[in-house]
Amino acid sequence: MKQSRADLLIFTVTLCWGSSYLFMKMGMDSLSPYNLIALRFGLAFILTALIFFRQLRHLDWRTTGYGALLGLCLFGVFAFIMFGLQTTSTSNAGFLVSLTVIFVPILYWLLFRRALAGKQIVGVLFAVVGIGLLTLNGQLAIHPGDALCILAALCYAGYILITGAAARLTRSTLNLGIMQLGFAGLYGLIFSLIFETPTLPHTGDGWLAVLALSVVCSAFGFVVQPIAQKYTTPTRTGLIFSLEPVFAALFAYWFEHEMLSVKGYIGAGLVLAGVVVSEWKLGGGNKRKRRRRRAIVSVQEAQNASPL
């Protein structure tokens, strides 16, 4: 596969993930949050399991265990996003969840005492100022939905770090990816049975949202993204993925006529700038700097797998 075609596939996946915020909000018009999570990931699991049935025959207990753990992390991410979308805008959610790129190196530094690169520190500063402009109201308080989306980004950062370890310790990353979809759907079903009344969509928009989220955003994204990444560079992949919140804002504008204030647009731009700066990998430097970058890149490459 040519790099240009791989980049186009990555761009398509990013476009799909950018639309997921709109479909999640649309789906919650007819379904409860846990119910929607159960249907989204349950259908994605069934579809991918049918397509890759031969590979699943070699499933082992270690992969299943890590799949259960990653599925729990994914469930947490989307539970925070779903409830956050009830009290914040689609645009805000897209930009705030993209803070995952900032949180990963920070968590990595806290857990493993790896030094942060200069670009990551600059990215964090941009992101912090951007969050303030995007979310703080006149009373200098953050809306509950915005806080939940920030928690979703933090939870997803933890998911990425665990994914990096699980990918090295399991035999098949494909089976790992399929199982995490199944467990995320299972946790959604359990919580829906406890706190909600599980049901199927009763409107055309509800079915459209569920099918788009399960088939396009989850099954398609999880299959195509790792394949395409083999034929392009981590830098190009990271920069293309940084467009996800931009697409989320565009979909919100086109279909929901959602517009940010001037202060909000400046804040969103700073958040996006922080994401891009933290992803940018500069060439050159001596061997010691390159070795230090490799220690951080191993974590950042895992960031390129988004569950959205």
Side-chain angles (χ1 to χ4, degrees):
M1 183 187 297
K2 293 182 178 180
Q3 187 180 53
S4 58
R5 185 178 180 183
D7 289 342
L8 180 60
L9 286 174
I10 294 293
F11 181 87
T12 304
V13 170
T14 306
L15 184 66
C16 293
W17 285 335
S19 70
S20 67
Y21 299 93
L22 176 66
F23 287 122
M24 281 188 279
K25 203 157 192 175
M26 184 189 302
M28 285 192 295
D29 289 338
S30 59
L31 294 169
S32 301
Y34 296 132
N35 195 172
L36 183 56
I37 292 173
L39 287 173
R40 170 182 180 168
F41 288 104
L43 290 176
F45 168 73
I46 292 172
L47 180 59
T48 52
L50 289 174
I51 294 174
F52 299 104
F53 173 73
R54 291 184 179 180
Q55 287 86 338
L56 274 178
R57 290 186 300 179
H58 304 289
L59 184 66
D60 58 84
W61 285 109
R62 173 175 288 184
T63 303
T64 302
Y66 276 110
L69 179 58
L70 291 175
L72 181 62
C73 293
L74 275 184
F75 168 74
V77 169
F78 283 95
F80 282 130
I81 293 176
M82 294 288 192
F83 286 104
L85 280 170
Q86 293 180 345
T87 53
T88 193
S89 67
T90 305
S91 303
N92 272 28
F95 282 103
L96 292 174
V97 174
S98 70
L99 289 170
T100 297
V101 177
I102 304 294
F103 289 151
V104 167
I106 293 177
L107 284 180
Y108 195 67
W109 169 67
L110 290 173
L111 292 173
F112 303 105
R113 298 302 176 185
R114 295 282 188 180
L116 290 176
K119 58 177 184 163
Q120 292 167 339
I121 296 174
V122 173
V124 169
L125 293 176
F126 274 133
V128 169
V129 176
I131 290 172
L133 292 174
L134 189 63
T135 63
L136 292 177
N137 55 30
Q139 288 74 41
L140 297 180
I142 296 179
H143 293 102
D146 294 328
L148 288 173
C149 288
I150 294 173
L151 286 175
L154 187 60
C155 188
Y156 183 44
Y159 160 84
I160 287 169
L161 292 177
I162 296 173
T163 299
R168 293 190 299 270
L169 296 173
T170 53
R171 295 179 180 177
S172 171
T173 53
L174 176 60
N175 286 346
L176 180 67
I178 294 173
M179 293 307 297
Q180 70 180 355
L181 295 177
F183 277 106
L186 177 61
Y187 298 136
L189 178 60
I190 292 172
F191 272 73
S192 183
L193 288 169
I194 296 173
F195 299 106
E196 304 167 349
T197 302
T199 184
L200 294 174
H202 54 270
T203 64
D205 286 347
W207 275 112
L208 174 62
V210 168
L211 292 176
L213 288 170
S214 59
V215 177
V216 178
C217 299
S218 296
F220 171 78
F222 270 99
V223 172
V224 171
Q225 177 256 331
I227 295 174
Q229 269 192 246
K230 292 180 181 179
Y231 302 96
T232 188
T233 64
T235 302
R236 293 170 72 93
T237 301
L239 291 175
I240 294 172
F241 277 154
S242 69
L243 294 173
E244 182 183 317
V246 177
F247 290 141
L250 288 176
F251 278 110
Y253 174 75
W254 287 332
F255 295 100
E256 294 188 320
H257 308 291
E258 200 177 87
M259 294 186 67
L260 297 173
S261 63
V262 174
K263 180 170 71 76
Y265 278 115
I266 295 174
L270 287 173
V271 169
L272 184 61
V275 171
V276 172
V277 168
S278 66
E279 282 279 2
W280 196 276
K281 298 176 180 63
L282 299 176
N286 56 38
K287 293 182 179 179
R288 181 178 298 176
K289 289 182 179 179
R290 286 198 293 271
R291 285 196 298 268
R292 187 182 303 168
R293 282 201 296 270
R294 289 193 194 104
I296 299 174
V297 166
S298 62
V299 177
Q300 289 181 321
E301 287 178 344
Q303 291 176 239
N304 296 329
S306 172
L308 300 177

